[in-house]
Amino acid sequence: MRVFSGIQPTGAKHIGNYIGAMRQYVTTQDEGDAFFCIVDLHSITVDYDPRDLHDRTLDLAALLYAVGLDPDRCTLFLQSHVTAHAEAAWLLSAVTGFGQLGRMTQFKEKGEGKEFVSAGLFTYPVLMAGDILLYETDIVPIGDDQRQHLEIARDIGQRFNARYGETFKIPRGVYPTVGARIMDLQEPSNKMSTTGGTTQGTVLVLDEPDVIRKKFKTAVTDSEREIRYAPDEKPGVSNLIEIMSVAAGRPIPDVEQAYAGKGYGDLKGDVGEAVVDLFAPMQARYKELRADEGELRRLLRVGAEKARQTSAPTLEQMYERMGFVRP
Ligand code: AQP
């Protein structure tokens, strides 16, 4: 079984990225032949700083190894190291509807009120479709916010197959049963987000322990003061229960039961501690790995070579089926 997922190197990664995506990467690397891609080409679709992109890319590689990706059990690589991704995006744009791209929620949200909206922000899902389809992917572990993009990737693959003949395997998304959409601690009706969230409501994987504790202590809940899991009615408390469930490795009903009759302060304090304990070993490994940039670059070169070999036959087939004269 082939696994593929991508993650952007812009911005510091938060607990939503960890719970929705990275945690699933770690488990799926043992369930199949797994490819994880640091999607640096996607990061230039919104305003960004080139120096920042450069450093964050290496930061993210170190972080992914630190949370448990093993270079012997999966392939981690940079999207820009494998030119097939950019080529596939152009070819797939021939079978992507302009109207469908315009309906993407992320495009609308990220473009709203901006003076400059790049064409790349609009065509982003085409690049993402290529990322996934090139690898004959069976499953894509992602958070809930990527559902719409995965759907369009499937549509694009199906349209290509119908127009040019069976070429792509049509992948399915895999979402965590708990924590597929972690919410901002300060604005619990919005998802925790790199670009759209509050600083105090966004818990970073690399935040200092005291910063993590404080962010949880000041989390917004509600006035009812009853600890109960009901995401629609009580988004703040339910979000804390989900995070506790993942961080402590306990099912949601267990967490609910453990806090029955207790106050919000107890829950907030304990979730903070559980997250500090969860991230502490990852933070220590991150520091070690990030210090050896030569080794990080070497591992990424090995990953890119494997990704090139795996994606090349699919790209070649695309060119041939589309009628291009090959060299
Ligand atoms: N709040 C979240 N809860 C659960 N999963 C989440 N993911 C993102 N936010 C949450 C998942 O993380 C993976 C990598 O995301 P990304 O950084 O590559 O891109 P993104 O989705 O754009 O990240 P953000 O933080 O959500 O940034 P904004 O809001 O600025 O776009 C994906 O699998 C995603 O589902």
Side-chain angles (χ1 to χ4, degrees), residues 38-115:
I38 296 181
V39 289
D40 48 4
L41 297 175
H42 284 280
S43 292
I44 63 168
T45 56
V46 289
D47 198 20
Y48 80 102
D49 173 6
R51 184 74 244 160
D52 197 50
L53 173 64
H54 182 273
D55 294 347
R56 295 264 189 219
T57 301
L58 293 165
D59 293 349
L60 181 56
L63 185 64
L64 288 169
Y65 290 127
V67 302
L69 290 195
D70 177 351
D72 293 329
R73 287 185 291 153
C74 71
T75 305
L76 177 67
F77 67 102
L78 304 186
Q79 190 183 29
S80 62
H81 287 185
V82 183
T83 53
H85 290 249
E87 291 177 69
W90 180 251
L91 299 183
L92 291 174
S93 69
V95 286
T96 308
F98 183 86
Q100 196 176 8
L101 286 178
R103 287 193 292 277
M104 293 294 113
T105 314
Q106 196 180 78
F107 171 67
K108 290 191 216 158
E109 283 174 0
K110 289 195 176 175
E112 205 176 25
K114 294 275 179 342
E115 205 176 298

Side-chain angles (χ1 to χ4, degrees), residues 25-211:
Y25 300 173
V26 176
T27 50
T28 50
Q29 71 182 333
D30 291 322
E31 288 165 12
D33 183 18
F35 285 75
F36 301 110
C37 181
I38 296 181
V39 289
D40 48 4
L41 297 175
H42 284 280
S43 292
I44 63 168
T45 56
V46 289
D47 198 20
Y48 80 102
D49 173 6
R51 184 74 244 160
D52 197 50
L53 173 64
H54 182 273
D55 294 347
R56 295 264 189 219
T57 301
L58 293 165
D59 293 349
L60 181 56
L63 185 64
L64 288 169
Y65 290 127
V67 302
L69 290 195
D70 177 351
D72 293 329
R73 287 185 291 153
C74 71
T75 305
L76 177 67
F77 67 102
L78 304 186
Q79 190 183 29
S80 62
H81 287 185
V82 183
T83 53
H85 290 249
E87 291 177 69
W90 180 251
L91 299 183
L92 291 174
S93 69
V95 286
T96 308
F98 183 86
Q100 196 176 8
L101 286 178
R103 287 193 292 277
M104 293 294 113
T105 314
Q106 196 180 78
F107 171 67
K108 290 191 216 158
E109 283 174 0
K110 289 195 176 175
E112 205 176 25
K114 294 275 179 342
E115 205 176 298
F116 177 80
V117 178
S118 75
L121 187 64
F122 184 68
T123 53
Y124 176 114
V126 191
L127 181 59
M128 177 166 157
D131 297 339
I132 298 167
L133 295 170
L134 275 172
Y135 292 83
E136 298 186 278
T137 302
D138 296 289
I139 63 161
V140 187
I142 39 177
D144 191 58
D145 61 324
Q146 290 297 329
R147 215 175 263 274
Q148 203 184 24
H149 287 162
L150 200 261
E151 265 324 298
I152 196 174
R154 288 165 52 91
D155 286 352
I156 291 170
Q158 275 158 350
R159 206 169 297 121
F160 189 101
N161 285 350
R163 170 84 178 77
Y164 300 107
E166 269 318 295
T167 306
F168 298 122
K169 207 177 241 188
I170 306 303
R172 72 184 165 86
V174 172
Y175 307 90
T177 44
V178 178
R181 180 174 286 260
I182 295 297
M183 310 310 263
D184 188 295
L185 299 188
Q186 289 298 314
E187 292 172 354
S189 45
N190 298 332
K191 77 156 190 142
M192 195 178 284
S193 147
T194 311
T195 51
T198 65
T199 310
Q200 190 64 14
T202 306
V203 177
L204 305 180
V205 181
L206 296 176
D207 267 341
E208 292 292 332
D210 276 345
V211 174

